[in-house]
Amino acid sequence: MRTETLRRGTRFSVILLLCAAALLSAFGQAASASTLTVRVLDVGQGDSIFVCFPEGGTMLVDAGTAEAGPKVVEMLRSLEAEKVDIIVATHPHSDHIGGMLAVLDAFPVGKVWDSGYVHGTRTQQIFLEAVRDRKIRFGRPKAGFSEEFQGVLIEVLAPVKPISGTNSDANNNSIVLRLSFGEVSFLLTADMETEQRRTVLRFPETTVLKVAHHGSHNGTDARFLAMLRPKLAIISCGEENPYGHPHREAVALLEEAGVDLFTTIGGDVVVETDGSELTVRKVLESEKSGQEKERLYIGNRSSRVFHTSACDGLPSDRNRVYFKSAEEAVKAGYRPCGRCVR
Amino acid sequence: MREVRSVRAFIDSIHEGVARVLLGDDESLAVEMPLDWLPEGAAAGKALRVLWEIDEEETFCARKAVEDLYDELGDMP
């Protein structure tokens, strides 16, 4: 366990608990009352952030790729989530909304906030149809919109206005959120790039920054960091991704700014706060809760085939049965999937 | 006139109806796809030519479908 007081922090002592086995027993428990927990999930190359509010409410900001969707669902279940109060689809790229269908299938959802950017993929269409068919309240909040939820102020800082003609208009029309709880704040920047960043006149100081666009060079600049003065930054990206994320320019800027930097490579990054102090820990994939390990193999009641949890051919929730081992699945009369079970 | 570009591809393997296709001259990108997406005669060891062109009509239809859904869903954050 490592404890350090941050350079510019006045009251914030950040306790960095790196893979602390002692805390893993608390992994599966929902956040305690008066605690805000922001968990940046390891979904490979993509984004998914699960927020537990002080009174037990929940918000999911993005859901990773379609392949990551079942993993997001399993994670939420392991955290004993029974519903998602707010889903935010920051923008329609598949590494952000691909997993939404799995989440909508698994949990009741209070409402959906969407960027409103028309991309046109089947992934976007199917997501919106699923929201419509389930009659979920739906909105496209813009800069200036805010809502107080269970003691946490949720503010939308972007989109300020529609942006077009950029290298990635979808990224540059992202929903950018700020969460404030007591003296602690989080800036969730989605895949905002330079053009969208310039439309926001002023970014308030922020304790924790979810670095924009997976740590791309176009998601961060020195002026932006000088405004934010973050104490902690988290980059969500996959290991050895084809884009080279995080880019060294972005990492260098964060290091020069003296920010403590975490990535989701190999595990979730979990930040808890009581509104005054922060606790940060990284939970490695290999050290996740027993509950999740017990769900290593997933059988299909209909086809009697079993898969690993990472398989892209997992059955729908209603057809699922879980096994602790391949042997157990075979004994139960299931046969292994030819693609994922070796 | 619509530009069409082509890319070399190679069928690396086929297992249980799934074809693993290597794309590009350097075969740097591997894509798995249902075998029935490939033309008749597709087999492991066969070279393919993939043709790409922008489909403006489909682009318009896809965007229109999403715009219509946004209209249906309304806007009530």
Side-chain angles (χ1 to χ4, degrees), chain A residues 28-76:
Chain A
Q29 295 172 5
S32 60
S34 77
T35 300
L36 173 69
T37 304
V38 176
R39 178 182 291 261
V40 184
L41 304 177
D42 169 20
V43 289
Q45 183 64 15
D47 259 23
S48 184
I49 302 164
F50 186 57
V51 182
C52 290
F53 288 83
E55 293 167 28
T58 57
M59 176 166 77
L60 183 70
V61 182
D62 293 328
T65 59
E67 292 77 22
K71 183 177 174 180
V72 173
V73 169
E74 290 303 309
M75 173 54 64
L76 268 54

Side-chain angles (χ1 to χ4, degrees), chain A:
Chain A
M1 184 163 71
R2 179 161 65 101
T3 304
E4 61 182 52
T5 303
L6 292 167
R7 296 161 190 81
R8 292 189 307 274
T10 51
R11 294 187 55 194
F12 299 111
S13 68
V14 175
I15 305 167
L16 304 174
L17 302 167
L18 294 169
C19 322
L23 273 187
L24 290 175
S25 60
F27 179 76
Q29 295 172 5
S32 60
S34 77
T35 300
L36 173 69
T37 304
V38 176
R39 178 182 291 261
V40 184
L41 304 177
D42 169 20
V43 289
Q45 183 64 15
D47 259 23
S48 184
I49 302 164
F50 186 57
V51 182
C52 290
F53 288 83
E55 293 167 28
T58 57
M59 176 166 77
L60 183 70
V61 182
D62 293 328
T65 59
E67 292 77 22
K71 183 177 174 180
V72 173
V73 169
E74 290 303 309
M75 173 54 64
L76 268 54
R77 287 199 172 128
S78 75
L79 294 169
E80 298 174 5
E82 292 175 354
K83 63 183 172 64
V84 182
D85 293 293
I86 307 169
I87 277 184
V88 183
T90 63
H91 67 292
H93 277 158
S94 59
D95 58 330
H96 291 250
I97 66 162
M100 287 293 188
L101 206 56
V103 175
L104 291 172
D105 279 343
F107 298 100
V109 172
K111 59 184 171 185
V112 169
W113 292 345
D114 182 278
S115 68
Y117 177 77
V118 176
H119 193 34
T121 56
R122 288 270 188 244
T123 302
Q124 183 181 30
Q125 202 177 324
I126 289 167
F127 165 57
L128 295 175
E129 284 170 353
V131 174
R132 178 197 63 192
D133 295 346
R134 288 162 177 74
K135 298 182 170 51
I136 299 170
R137 181 173 164 176
F138 181 87
R140 289 168 271 170
K142 305 287 186 289
F145 175 86
S146 67
E147 178 175 317
E148 179 106 13
F149 185 66
Q150 298 189 352
V152 177
L153 178 64
I154 308 170
E155 296 170 278
V156 176
L157 303 188
V160 174
K161 60 180 181 181
I163 293 175
S164 61
T166 68
N167 278 337
S168 177
D169 291 346
N171 283 348
N172 279 306
N173 286 279
S174 289
I175 294 181
V176 176
L177 293 176
R178 186 171 192 268
L179 311 182
S180 308
F181 181 50
E183 299 168 53
V184 176
S185 56
F186 295 78
L187 186 66
L188 309 181
T189 52
D191 278 5
M192 173 175 66
E193 296 186 8
T194 308
E195 292 86 347
Q196 187 177 33
R197 206 162 54 243
R198 286 177 181 157
T199 65
V200 181
L201 293 178
R202 185 184 150 273
F203 286 95
E205 281 192 23
T206 295
T207 321
V208 182
L209 169 67
K210 199 293 293 182
V211 178
H213 197 196
H214 318 287
S216 167
H217 60 81
N218 58 32
T220 305
D221 64 38
R223 182 173 165 270
F224 178 57
L225 290 179
M227 273 192 280
L228 297 180
R229 297 169 57 86
K231 315 287 185 275
L232 174 72
I234 303 164
I235 295 174
S236 180
C237 65
E239 193 169 13
E240 294 180 4
N241 62 77
Y243 314 102
H245 294 154
H247 290 155
R248 62 176 182 276
E249 299 93 322
V251 172
L253 284 170
L254 290 159
E255 286 177 348
E256 281 167 25
V259 182
D260 273 308
L261 185 60
F262 284 76
T263 77
T264 57
I265 294 172
D268 301 345
V269 180
V270 184
V271 184
E272 290 182 353
T273 179
D274 60 2
S276 176
E277 295 196 336
L278 281 181
T279 303
V280 187
R281 67 183 194 270
K282 184 160 181 179
V283 183
L284 292 185
E285 199 60 35
S286 58
E287 296 176 344
K288 284 189 178 172
S289 72
Q291 186 182 354
E292 193 165 334
K293 282 182 181 171
E294 286 174 7
R295 293 183 167 187
L296 192 60
Y297 291 95
I298 300 169
N300 185 330
R301 291 182 209 278
S302 174
S303 67
R304 309 291 285 179
V305 171
F306 71 95
H307 310 259
T308 66
S309 57
C311 186
D312 58 8
L314 292 177
S316 62
D317 283 338
R318 67 177 177 278
N319 280 334
R320 285 188 186 190
V321 57
Y322 295 94
F323 301 105
K324 292 175 187 172
S325 67
E327 290 74 23
E328 186 183 279
V330 171
K331 278 181 188 169
Y334 285 73
R335 59 187 171 81
C337 168
R339 291 165 63 185
C340 66
V341 182
R342 304 287 176 216

Side-chain angles (χ1 to χ4, degrees), chain B residues 10-63:
Chain B
F10 205 90
I11 305 175
D12 187 40
S13 63
I14 297 173
H15 291 295
E16 298 185 30
V18 177
R20 181 178 168 84
V21 177
L22 307 176
L23 287 167
D25 287 336
D26 58 357
E27 299 180 347
S28 57
L29 182 63
V31 181
E32 291 181 346
M33 64 186 71
L35 180 58
D36 59 13
W37 287 13
L38 299 178
E40 202 175 309
K46 290 275 189 186
L48 300 168
R49 192 157 51 93
V50 183
L51 302 178
W52 304 95
E53 65 176 315
I54 305 289
D55 187 340
E56 295 293 2
E57 194 176 329
E58 174 57 21
T59 302
F60 175 83
C61 292
R63 291 179 58 86

